Amino acid sequence: QVQLVESGGGLRQPGGSLTLSCTASGFAFSAADMNWYRQPPGTNKQRELVARIFADGHTTYRDSVKGRFTISRDDAKNTMYLQMNALKPEDTAVYYCQTLLQRETYWGLGTQVTVSS
């Protein structure tokens, strides 16, 4: 049974830092491409891809977080991370861990990040 569990969310002031974790189980984590998505507040907001890390370690980021966020993974711990620095109010969202396995998409329940003074 595939499980993705996010943790590490919280409240930070603008300019602050936060590290999110996603612990995975039920599949071959080291062979999987993993993603962080976020859903900003508001009923019409869709989830947006924040960062991706491939099984080979290659990473990609959405333009608005480049230079501020760093995605990484520890295959020995079946865990993916998102280090977020220089946080802005527009980073406020629920952050989700996601992966695609054999044409099935799996999501965690999300962790709330709020950036406010």
Side-chain angles (χ1 to χ4, degrees), residues 85-110:
N85 298 324
L87 284 164
K88 303 176 180 181
E90 51 263 43
D91 295 321
T92 294
V94 178
Y95 284 71
Y96 297 91
C97 177
Q98 185 253 23
T99 190
L100 177 66
L101 304 170
Q102 297 178 339
R103 302 183 182 179
E104 291 284 340
T105 300
Y106 296 89
W107 297 89
L109 295 179

Short mmCIF file of all heavy atoms in Angstrom, two decimals, residues 85-110:
data_model
loop_
_atom_site.label_atom_id
_atom_site.label_comp_id
_atom_site.label_asym_id
_atom_site.label_seq_id
_atom_site.Cartn_x
_atom_site.Cartn_y
_atom_site.Cartn_z
N ASN A 85 13.68 28.70 1.72
CA ASN A 85 14.31 29.89 2.30
C ASN A 85 13.68 31.15 1.71
O ASN A 85 12.99 31.09 0.68
CB ASN A 85 15.81 29.89 2.01
CG ASN A 85 16.52 28.70 2.62
OD1 ASN A 85 16.19 28.25 3.72
ND2 ASN A 85 17.53 28.20 1.92
N ALA A 86 13.94 32.26 2.36
CA ALA A 86 13.43 33.55 1.88
C ALA A 86 11.94 33.47 1.57
O ALA A 86 11.49 33.89 0.50
CB ALA A 86 14.22 34.02 0.66
N LEU A 87 11.19 32.93 2.49
CA LEU A 87 9.76 32.71 2.26
C LEU A 87 9.02 34.02 2.04
O LEU A 87 9.34 35.06 2.65
CB LEU A 87 9.15 31.96 3.43
CG LEU A 87 9.48 30.45 3.48
CD1 LEU A 87 9.18 29.88 4.85
CD2 LEU A 87 8.70 29.71 2.41
N LYS A 88 8.02 33.95 1.17
CA LYS A 88 7.18 35.11 0.84
C LYS A 88 5.72 34.78 1.17
O LYS A 88 5.34 33.61 1.18
CB LYS A 88 7.30 35.42 -0.65
CG LYS A 88 8.71 35.69 -1.12
CD LYS A 88 8.74 35.91 -2.63
CE LYS A 88 10.16 36.19 -3.12
NZ LYS A 88 10.20 36.43 -4.59
N PRO A 89 4.92 35.80 1.40
CA PRO A 89 3.50 35.53 1.67
C PRO A 89 2.84 34.69 0.57
O PRO A 89 1.95 33.87 0.87
CB PRO A 89 2.90 36.93 1.75
CG PRO A 89 4.02 37.79 2.25
CD PRO A 89 5.25 37.22 1.58
N GLU A 90 3.26 34.86 -0.66
CA GLU A 90 2.66 34.10 -1.76
C GLU A 90 3.07 32.63 -1.76
O GLU A 90 2.57 31.85 -2.57
CB GLU A 90 3.00 34.73 -3.12
CG GLU A 90 4.46 35.01 -3.33
CD GLU A 90 4.84 36.45 -3.02
OE1 GLU A 90 4.37 36.99 -1.99
OE2 GLU A 90 5.63 37.03 -3.80
N ASP A 91 3.97 32.24 -0.85
CA ASP A 91 4.29 30.82 -0.68
C ASP A 91 3.28 30.12 0.22
O ASP A 91 3.32 28.90 0.37
CB ASP A 91 5.69 30.65 -0.09
CG ASP A 91 6.79 31.14 -1.01
OD1 ASP A 91 6.69 30.92 -2.24
OD2 ASP A 91 7.76 31.75 -0.49
N THR A 92 2.37 30.88 0.82
CA THR A 92 1.35 30.30 1.67
C THR A 92 0.49 29.32 0.88
O THR A 92 -0.05 29.68 -0.17
CB THR A 92 0.47 31.41 2.27
OG1 THR A 92 1.26 32.20 3.15
CG2 THR A 92 -0.71 30.81 3.04
N ALA A 93 0.40 28.09 1.37
CA ALA A 93 -0.32 27.04 0.66
C ALA A 93 -0.28 25.76 1.48
O ALA A 93 0.48 25.66 2.44
CB ALA A 93 0.31 26.79 -0.72
N VAL A 94 -1.08 24.81 1.05
CA VAL A 94 -0.91 23.44 1.53
C VAL A 94 0.05 22.76 0.56
O VAL A 94 -0.15 22.80 -0.66
CB VAL A 94 -2.24 22.68 1.59
CG1 VAL A 94 -2.01 21.24 2.06
CG2 VAL A 94 -3.23 23.39 2.51
N TYR A 95 1.09 22.17 1.09
CA TYR A 95 2.12 21.51 0.29
C TYR A 95 1.90 20.00 0.31
O TYR A 95 1.72 19.41 1.38
CB TYR A 95 3.50 21.87 0.82
CG TYR A 95 3.92 23.27 0.43
CD1 TYR A 95 3.32 24.39 1.01
CD2 TYR A 95 4.90 23.49 -0.53
CE1 TYR A 95 3.67 25.67 0.64
CE2 TYR A 95 5.27 24.78 -0.91
CZ TYR A 95 4.65 25.85 -0.32
OH TYR A 95 5.00 27.14 -0.69
N TYR A 96 1.93 19.42 -0.89
CA TYR A 96 1.66 18.00 -1.06
C TYR A 96 2.85 17.29 -1.69
O TYR A 96 3.48 17.80 -2.62
CB TYR A 96 0.45 17.78 -1.96
CG TYR A 96 -0.85 18.32 -1.43
CD1 TYR A 96 -1.26 19.61 -1.74
CD2 TYR A 96 -1.67 17.53 -0.65
CE1 TYR A 96 -2.46 20.11 -1.27
CE2 TYR A 96 -2.89 18.02 -0.17
CZ TYR A 96 -3.26 19.31 -0.49
OH TYR A 96 -4.45 19.79 -0.02
N CYS A 97 3.06 16.09 -1.25
CA CYS A 97 4.01 15.16 -1.85
C CYS A 97 3.24 14.32 -2.86
O CYS A 97 2.09 13.92 -2.60
CB CYS A 97 4.56 14.30 -0.72
SG CYS A 97 5.69 13.01 -1.17
N GLN A 98 3.84 14.05 -4.01
CA GLN A 98 3.14 13.32 -5.05
C GLN A 98 4.10 12.46 -5.86
O GLN A 98 5.27 12.83 -6.04
CB GLN A 98 2.43 14.31 -5.99
CG GLN A 98 1.55 13.67 -7.06
CD GLN A 98 2.16 13.74 -8.44
OE1 GLN A 98 3.37 13.85 -8.61
NE2 GLN A 98 1.32 13.65 -9.45
N THR A 99 3.59 11.30 -6.31
CA THR A 99 4.37 10.48 -7.23
C THR A 99 3.43 9.75 -8.18
O THR A 99 2.25 9.59 -7.89
CB THR A 99 5.25 9.48 -6.47
OG1 THR A 99 6.16 8.87 -7.39
CG2 THR A 99 4.42 8.39 -5.81
N LEU A 100 3.97 9.35 -9.31
CA LEU A 100 3.22 8.61 -10.33
C LEU A 100 3.86 7.24 -10.47
O LEU A 100 5.04 7.15 -10.81
CB LEU A 100 3.25 9.37 -11.66
CG LEU A 100 2.56 8.70 -12.85
CD1 LEU A 100 1.06 8.61 -12.61
CD2 LEU A 100 2.85 9.48 -14.13
N LEU A 101 3.08 6.21 -10.20
CA LEU A 101 3.58 4.84 -10.26
C LEU A 101 2.67 4.02 -11.16
O LEU A 101 1.49 3.88 -10.86
CB LEU A 101 3.62 4.22 -8.86
CG LEU A 101 4.41 4.95 -7.79
CD1 LEU A 101 4.15 4.34 -6.42
CD2 LEU A 101 5.89 4.92 -8.11
N GLN A 102 3.23 3.50 -12.23
CA GLN A 102 2.46 2.64 -13.14
C GLN A 102 1.12 3.27 -13.49
O GLN A 102 0.06 2.65 -13.37
CB GLN A 102 2.26 1.25 -12.51
CG GLN A 102 3.58 0.52 -12.27
CD GLN A 102 3.38 -0.84 -11.60
OE1 GLN A 102 2.35 -1.08 -10.97
NE2 GLN A 102 4.35 -1.71 -11.75
N ARG A 103 1.15 4.53 -13.88
CA ARG A 103 -0.01 5.29 -14.34
C ARG A 103 -0.99 5.64 -13.23
O ARG A 103 -2.06 6.16 -13.51
CB ARG A 103 -0.74 4.58 -15.47
CG ARG A 103 0.14 4.30 -16.68
CD ARG A 103 -0.63 3.66 -17.81
NE ARG A 103 0.23 3.35 -18.94
CZ ARG A 103 -0.19 2.76 -20.05
NH1 ARG A 103 -1.45 2.42 -20.17
NH2 ARG A 103 0.66 2.52 -21.03
N GLU A 104 -0.65 5.38 -11.98
CA GLU A 104 -1.48 5.76 -10.84
C GLU A 104 -0.79 6.92 -10.11
O GLU A 104 0.41 6.85 -9.84
CB GLU A 104 -1.67 4.59 -9.88
CG GLU A 104 -2.53 3.45 -10.42
CD GLU A 104 -4.00 3.78 -10.40
OE1 GLU A 104 -4.40 4.70 -9.65
OE2 GLU A 104 -4.77 3.12 -11.14
N THR A 105 -1.57 7.93 -9.80
CA THR A 105 -1.04 9.08 -9.07
C THR A 105 -1.37 8.95 -7.59
O THR A 105 -2.51 8.64 -7.23
CB THR A 105 -1.65 10.38 -9.61
OG1 THR A 105 -1.31 10.50 -11.00
CG2 THR A 105 -1.09 11.58 -8.86
N TYR A 106 -0.37 9.19 -6.76
CA TYR A 106 -0.54 9.09 -5.32
C TYR A 106 -0.19 10.43 -4.69
O TYR A 106 0.80 11.08 -5.07
CB TYR A 106 0.35 7.99 -4.74
CG TYR A 106 -0.01 6.62 -5.25
CD1 TYR A 106 0.57 6.11 -6.41
CD2 TYR A 106 -0.95 5.83 -4.59
CE1 TYR A 106 0.24 4.86 -6.89
CE2 TYR A 106 -1.29 4.57 -5.07
CZ TYR A 106 -0.69 4.10 -6.22
OH TYR A 106 -1.04 2.85 -6.70
N TRP A 107 -1.00 10.82 -3.71
CA TRP A 107 -0.82 12.08 -2.98
C TRP A 107 -0.76 11.83 -1.49
O TRP A 107 -1.42 10.92 -0.98
CB TRP A 107 -2.00 13.02 -3.25
CG TRP A 107 -2.17 13.47 -4.65
CD1 TRP A 107 -2.90 12.85 -5.62
CD2 TRP A 107 -1.62 14.65 -5.25
NE1 TRP A 107 -2.83 13.57 -6.79
CE2 TRP A 107 -2.06 14.68 -6.59
CE3 TRP A 107 -0.80 15.68 -4.78
CZ2 TRP A 107 -1.70 15.71 -7.48
CZ3 TRP A 107 -0.45 16.69 -5.66
CH2 TRP A 107 -0.90 16.70 -6.98
N GLY A 108 0.00 12.66 -0.80
CA GLY A 108 -0.10 12.71 0.64
C GLY A 108 -1.28 13.59 1.04
O GLY A 108 -1.98 14.15 0.18
N LEU A 109 -1.48 13.74 2.34
CA LEU A 109 -2.59 14.56 2.83
C LEU A 109 -2.24 16.04 2.90
O LEU A 109 -3.14 16.87 3.05
CB LEU A 109 -3.03 14.06 4.21
CG LEU A 109 -3.62 12.65 4.24
CD1 LEU A 109 -4.01 12.27 5.66
CD2 LEU A 109 -4.82 12.53 3.31
N GLY A 110 -0.95 16.35 2.79
CA GLY A 110 -0.54 17.74 2.76
C GLY A 110 -0.14 18.29 4.12
O GLY A 110 -0.51 17.76 5.16
#
